[in-house]
Amino acid sequence: MRNRPQSLLKYLLAFSTVALVFAIAAQAQSALQQPATKSASSQPAPKRDLTGVWQYQGSGGADSMTADKDMPPMTPWAKAKFDAEKPGYGPRGAPGGNDPILQCDPIGFPRIMFMPTPHEFVQAPGRVLQFWEREHEWRPIWTDGRALPTDADPTWYGYAVGHWESDDTFFVESTGFNEKTWLGPTGFPHSEGMRVVERYHRVDHDTILYDMTVTDPMAYTKPIVAPQRILKLKPHEEIEEQPCVWSQENEFAQRIRNPATPKPVK
Amino acid sequence: MATHVAAQQPAPKPAPPAPKRDLSGLWHYEGTGASEPIAPDNLIPPMTPWAQARFDAERPGFGPRRAPGGNDPILQCDPMGFPRVMFLNTPFEFVQVAGRVIQFFEHEHEYRSIWTDGRPLPTDADPTWYGYAIGHWESDDTFVVESTGFRDSTWLGSSGYPHSENMRVIERYQRADHDTILYDITIIDPMAYTQPIVGPHRILKLRPRDEMVEEICVPSEEKSFADRVAEPAMQKPAR
């Protein structure tokens, strides 16, 4: 009888050891069978490749490039334009505003980057194409070595050139913007002299860290540096056709939006 | 004398041969120089009662029924849609990448993806302005495109011919030489037309040194143009 507790202890020890070994083996086996369960984001980024549909991780609504309080001081020219705008959002938001996108005027760049709908990169010879689901818009980012023009005709989406700074960071510069677009939903203006610099840093297979700086001395006394944003890959997705159709937008506004908009509180 | 004159006009050099399975580049339809219908009126087959009713209700700005105050949807910047966008005097561009050929239209800064990854044409595509297209190479020089999933809001041309959501479009782009595509289009839409509409053969020419410009229809500018200029300028129709 004196030996029974000792043998029981040995038995328990042996059993628990075996059980532990099995547990470890099972976990290892599981890891071998499903190497990606540690989330696809642990996969490294492919080199010099932004191909795919990407989703800006924002508020879920239309965001400004940076918070109003962080905007640098405006020049008198810009302040006059700003004061004349009647945005639908922000501290000055009011119904019946003059935000050009309400009548389906192009959203333009860079405002379109902070919309809650995805965009897609397609890489082709000599250019990277960027497609936005919203408005069914797109722009070519020329990668054929051409210089940024000094006299580009002003357009809604600008003229962009890009190059790879490294295997995982794509650098884009753009100019040639008309001044008809707002920088965001609260009505900040920009001039035709605006120049935008962006960095798309693909840190892993599913993640881009996105930085943007707007330089526009005619409108702002300092560059506008947007907070870094995250873009996430949406594999197996295709962007939809979503043009802004004024006749439908107008009909919607007449029937629903305008009657529903509350009167401003004074 | 005739020989002397002939010698002063050397024959133009033939274009180099077409690259295989490659439509890349900026192309321009050599038409009348203005926007055209998919086919002349005399090649449009009889309409069904459904289509005839729609046609009669439209008030185009061009053609024998033109009148001011028309309801052509493009006048208020509604998307022109496919295939109407193919018959303009502005160019389009093909860009070929893995799994698709992208066709960009200068007019309205529009585009469509022609999927070449082997997927079938869907039977239930959501109706869109530019449709859902798939394509494949029939031979080294002929690219065939089929498309479906079109909204019925667009006109087939500026004279107001309608189509239904069931419209199916088949196109052939045959690259005859480096600078030339012979283009054919057929529309099958039994809900609207009693027979297929077979467009006339068209020629597309390469514009090797051009790039498309951004041309977006801006509703606020289009409307103000219509108010100030287009409407007052239209003549009253003769009755």
Side-chain angles (χ1 to χ4, degrees):
Chain A
M1 295 298 268
R2 233 179 15 189
N3 286 337
R4 195 171 294 171
Q6 280 184 343
S7 62
L8 183 60
L9 193 61
K10 280 183 190 170
Y11 174 77
L12 286 173
L13 190 61
F15 179 80
S16 57
T17 302
V18 169
L20 187 60
V21 168
F22 268 116
I24 291 171
Q27 200 172 30
Q29 182 68 7
S30 155
L32 282 171
Q33 284 169 345
Q34 298 168 0
T37 45
K38 266 181 78 74
S39 97
S41 64
S42 66
Q43 289 180 31
K47 290 182 163 52
R48 305 195 174 218
D49 188 353
L50 298 179
T51 303
V53 176
W54 296 89
Q55 176 67 57
Y56 156 57
Q57 308 292 299
S59 68
D63 292 346
S64 299
M65 68 174 287
T66 191
D68 284 10
K69 65 176 176 56
D70 295 330
M71 290 291 282
M74 282 182 274
T75 61
W77 175 87
K79 191 76 171 61
K81 280 198 77 167
F82 180 72
D83 289 342
E85 306 295 11
K86 300 193 293 289
Y89 291 90
R92 304 183 300 151
N98 70 336
D99 188 337
I101 73 170
L102 290 179
Q103 50 189 355
C104 288
D105 280 8
I107 292 172
F109 189 87
R111 184 176 179 182
I112 199 163
M113 282 302 296
F114 307 109
M115 290 292 179
T117 40
H119 68 266
E120 180 177 12
F121 279 116
V122 172
Q123 300 193 181
R127 69 191 102 164
V128 169
L129 296 156
Q130 189 169 25
F131 298 94
W132 292 280
E133 183 174 273
R134 179 81 180 254
E135 268 190 12
H136 205 234
E137 273 299 347
W138 62 281
R139 65 167 176 168
I141 304 169
W142 299 99
T143 54
D144 57 0
R146 64 180 70 184
L148 200 59
T150 52
D151 61 346
D153 284 340
T155 56
W156 300 86
Y157 284 87
Y159 193 110
V161 300
H163 69 274
W164 288 92
E165 262 182 351
S166 62
D167 283 345
D168 61 17
T169 301
F170 187 60
F171 177 81
V172 182
E173 279 185 285
S174 46
T175 181
F177 296 97
N178 71 38
E179 62 184 36
K180 303 177 188 178
T181 64
W182 293 4
L183 286 180
T186 55
F188 283 100
H190 67 85
S191 79
E192 282 186 7
M194 173 174 77
R195 192 172 170 123
V196 185
V197 162
E198 305 157 83
R199 272 187 177 78
Y200 296 84
H201 178 199
R202 193 168 184 176
V203 293
D204 62 45
H205 184 272
D206 291 1
T207 312
I208 288 175
L209 302 181
Y210 176 62
D211 287 289
M212 173 192 288
T213 301
V214 167
T215 309
D216 190 359
M218 181 166 172
Y220 300 94
T221 56
K222 292 190 286 208
I224 309 169
V225 181
Q228 189 172 75
R229 257 68 178 227
I230 296 174
L231 312 177
K232 280 298 204 185
L233 187 68
K234 294 177 75 170
H236 317 300
E237 292 223 5
E238 288 169 9
I239 58 175
E240 299 176 357
E241 183 198 270
Q242 258 194 32
C244 188
V245 183
W246 179 84
S247 59
Q248 296 175 348
E249 188 70 18
N250 192 44
E251 187 207 344
F252 177 77
Q254 306 277 8
R255 280 191 306 112
I256 294 178
R257 183 192 294 126
N258 285 350
T261 304
K263 291 192 187 346
V265 175
K266 289 286 182 190
Chain B
M1 291 284 245
T3 307
H4 177 68
V5 169
Q8 287 179 329
Q9 295 173 359
K13 287 187 203 164
K20 289 181 165 49
R21 304 195 173 217
D22 187 354
L23 298 178
S24 304
L26 196 72
W27 297 90
H28 179 230
Y29 164 50
E30 298 211 320
T32 59
S35 75
E36 294 180 9
I38 177 171
D41 285 1
N42 64 325
L43 287 187
I44 303 282
M47 281 181 272
T48 61
W50 175 88
Q52 187 68 51
R54 296 240 352 214
F55 180 70
D56 291 341
E58 307 293 15
R59 299 192 302 282
F62 290 90
R65 304 185 300 150
R66 71 178 178 281
N71 71 336
D72 188 339
I74 70 168
L75 291 178
Q76 50 191 358
C77 291
D78 279 12
M80 180 167 278
F82 190 87
R84 185 176 178 182
V85 73
M86 283 300 296
F87 311 112
L88 304 174
N89 61 351
T90 44
F92 68 86
E93 182 174 10
F94 279 121
V95 173
Q96 298 189 186
V97 295
R100 72 183 102 164
V101 171
I102 308 171
Q103 188 173 24
F104 294 96
F105 303 100
E106 184 175 273
H107 188 83
E108 279 184 6
H109 206 234
E110 271 297 349
Y111 73 96
R112 65 169 176 165
S113 291
I114 304 169
W115 299 99
T116 55
D117 57 1
R119 67 181 67 185
L121 204 56
T123 51
D124 60 346
D126 285 338
T128 56
W129 303 86
Y130 283 84
Y132 194 110
I134 61 170
H136 71 279
W137 288 92
E138 230 175 28
S139 61
D140 282 345
D141 64 11
T142 301
F143 187 61
V144 176
V145 182
E146 287 184 76
S147 45
T148 181
F150 294 98
R151 300 174 58 108
D152 65 5
S153 325
T154 62
W155 293 4
L156 288 179
S158 53
S159 44
Y161 284 106
H163 67 85
S164 79
E165 281 188 4
N166 300 326
M167 173 175 76
R168 191 172 170 122
V169 185
I170 299 169
E171 305 155 84
R172 271 187 175 73
Y173 296 83
Q174 183 193 350
R175 194 160 183 180
D177 61 47
H178 185 272
D179 296 349
T180 310
I181 287 174
L182 304 179
Y183 176 67
D184 288 290
I185 184 171
T186 300
I187 288 181
I188 301 163
D189 191 1
M191 182 165 172
Y193 301 92
T194 56
Q195 292 163 31
I197 306 173
V198 181
H201 297 299
R202 287 175 159 104
I203 296 175
L204 312 174
K205 283 303 217 182
L206 188 68
R207 290 170 61 169
R209 281 170 293 281
D210 285 0
E211 286 174 3
M212 293 200 309
V213 298
E214 183 199 89
E215 193 194 285
I216 300 178
C217 192
V218 182
S220 62
E221 294 172 3
E222 189 67 19
K223 180 167 190 320
S224 95
F225 174 80
D227 290 345
R228 284 183 305 111
V229 179
E231 295 266 308
M234 278 207 212
Q235 301 294 321
K236 287 195 188 338
R239 288 264 175 217

